[in-house]
Amino acid sequence: MWTARTVEALDGLVSGWAPERTVTPVTPPGLAVTVTAAHNDLSPTITGTPAITRPGSVVVASQWQARDTTGVVVWDSGVQGGSGVSQDVPPGTPWDNGAQYTGWGRIQQTGGAWSPWVSSAPFVVSWDAPATPVVTVATDPEGGALVDVTGLVPGAAVVVESSRDDGLTWDLVHAGVAAESTMRLRDPLVAHLEPMRWSVTQYTVVDGVRLPSERGVSDVLVPSSRVSILASAHDPATTWQRVHISQAGDTVWPRATAVHHLLGPDPYALVLRGPERARRGSMVLTARDAQARALLHDLLQCGDPLVMQWCPEDDWHHQSVRPGERVTIQATSPHSEARLAHIPWQPRHVPVEWVEAPTPEIGAAPTLAPVTHPPSPPLVPTP
């Protein structure tokens, strides 16, 4: 029960008491939280049991969370309107296999009062991780490296990668689906007389989420390659060609440029060059025959990013590309042009203009079908 009166500041006169009013405190709702989770279930269900004592009040909103053992929120539903008191955690939540979590919830009742946050008992999220593949490598007599993989699950997604810095960074070799428990593929993009490793990761799908195995890593191999290779950046192991660079134009680093005129009697201007941008350049490739030229045409005109690995023995002194360097590029112009009939045309020459491009994400869909490679002797560039 409440009432009030006032006191004048000047003369101290006191008013009479106001009529009494009765106020009934609002009791916030209560909540009990439980979680239903099972092995190989990435979408546990958080369920709340409300306890509302205020007459005529019902649940009008709720909010749910999943937290790890340190209290970090790994998933938050946000405020959900309505009377629902059950929420499935999305399977894409960043769970750790075998780790413990707790479910949390709060509800709002009619009138706006919220319950305090309430936690469930700890629960475990776990799944059957795929086995770690076993990777062995050997020198390919045809050039490059032969990568043999065992311990695969048929139907599992597989990603094969190579490293030239002992696993500090990895480059895509192949991304596909295992047809059998074993796999053999050829990696043409090898560093000449430099130590390399290969790794394989396979993925299982649980609740629509791809979950990786541990990375299986090969022993060190020191391969040999004296050729230039042009390959699809989406899947170098299945779509590639040996190429011979008969000419190489200047390769430049475009820079952002700003000009500042110096004050005073000095008539010169100060030119400041900004950060290096993507490299660009040109080259002329020579195909062995009409079939090789047709394959190069398909590769260059598909619109996909490409991987160009320069011959380790090239001596283009004016290039910003090092001999043997691997660069992701994008062809920027058609390699065949209309020309007058009296100008000689070398049908095996394939001119290419290119610009350095970002490496595509693993799993991005390529537009070019795989290129088959019959056994052939390595094509050695001539000086």
Side-chain angles (χ1 to χ4, degrees):
M1 183 177 296
W2 296 83
T3 187
R5 65 179 180 173
T6 61
V7 179
E8 292 286 347
L10 295 177
D11 53 18
L13 295 177
V14 179
S15 71
W17 287 100
E20 296 178 348
R21 294 290 185 269
T22 301
V23 177
T24 302
V26 175
T27 302
L31 183 69
V33 177
T34 58
V35 177
T36 303
H39 184 62
N40 282 332
D41 179 11
L42 301 185
S43 184
T45 300
I46 302 177
T47 303
T49 303
I52 298 177
T53 58
R54 182 185 181 187
S57 290
V58 295
V59 175
V60 295
S62 61
Q63 185 176 3
W64 312 93
Q65 292 180 347
R67 305 180 189 179
D68 64 17
T69 54
T70 65
V72 174
V73 177
V74 296
W75 171 78
D76 189 323
S77 70
V79 175
Q80 306 287 315
S83 60
V85 289
S86 180
Q87 184 75 44
D88 291 333
V89 183
T93 302
W95 306 115
D96 289 329
N97 194 7
Q100 280 193 341
Y101 300 88
T102 50
W104 291 75
R106 63 175 186 156
I107 57 173
Q108 184 185 41
Q109 69 182 12
T110 306
W114 281 92
S115 72
W117 281 103
V118 179
S119 72
S120 71
F123 65 95
V124 175
V125 176
S126 62
W127 60 86
D128 294 325
T132 303
V134 178
V135 189
T136 56
V137 291
T139 300
D140 185 356
E142 296 291 334
L146 289 175
V147 182
D148 288 291
V149 187
T150 59
L152 298 176
V153 177
V158 178
V159 174
V160 183
E161 297 170 293
S162 66
S163 175
R164 305 184 181 197
D165 51 19
D166 202 28
L168 184 63
T169 59
W170 294 96
D171 296 315
L172 177 65
V173 175
H174 171 69
V177 177
E180 302 176 347
S181 60
T182 62
M183 173 187 293
R184 163 171 280 200
L185 55 85
R186 175 192 296 178
D187 182 6
L189 297 171
V190 297
H192 181 59
L193 299 181
E194 294 182 19
M196 295 183 64
R197 291 182 185 270
W198 281 259
S199 75
V200 178
T201 306
Q202 64 176 329
Y203 296 81
T204 186
V205 178
V206 177
D207 281 352
V209 179
R210 289 199 345 160
L211 301 173
S213 69
E214 295 292 331
R215 185 188 294 269
V217 181
S218 73
D219 293 333
V220 173
L221 177 70
V222 182
S224 174
S225 175
R226 299 177 181 271
V227 298
S228 297
I229 300 292
L230 185 65
S232 166
H234 290 287
D235 202 345
T238 60
T239 309
W240 60 273
Q241 280 288 296
R242 296 187 182 96
V243 294
H244 171 50
I245 304 175
S246 58
Q247 298 178 37
D250 290 336
T251 304
V252 297
W253 287 96
R255 291 172 178 260
T257 303
V259 179
H260 300 268
H261 290 283
L262 302 178
L263 300 178
D266 193 339
Y268 296 98
L270 177 64
V271 179
L272 301 179
R273 299 189 180 275
E276 293 178 343
R277 304 288 181 87
R279 287 172 284 186
R280 62 176 64 245
S282 62
M283 56 187 170
V284 176
L285 307 180
T286 301
R288 296 190 305 269
D289 49 34
Q291 180 184 8
R293 189 179 190 280
L295 292 175
L296 279 177
H297 178 278
D298 292 340
L299 195 58
L300 291 166
Q301 299 302 304
C302 70
D304 293 337
L306 305 172
V307 176
M308 180 68 197
Q309 179 169 290
W310 271 259
C311 175
E313 296 178 348
D314 279 344
D315 57 356
W316 310 108
H317 63 278
H318 54 284
Q319 289 257 20
S320 66
V321 178
R322 301 186 306 274
E325 185 177 359
R326 168 178 173 158
V327 182
T328 303
I329 66 172
Q330 187 86 47
T332 58
S333 66
H335 71 250
S336 58
E337 302 173 354
R339 54 177 60 206
L340 297 176
H342 68 274
I343 299 178
W345 170 252
Q346 297 293 334
R348 294 197 307 153
H349 289 176
V350 183
V352 180
E353 294 181 7
W354 59 269
V355 63
E356 192 169 4
T359 301
E361 295 290 334
I362 294 178
T367 60
L368 189 66
V371 177
T372 57
H373 300 273
S376 60
L379 188 63
V380 180
T382 56

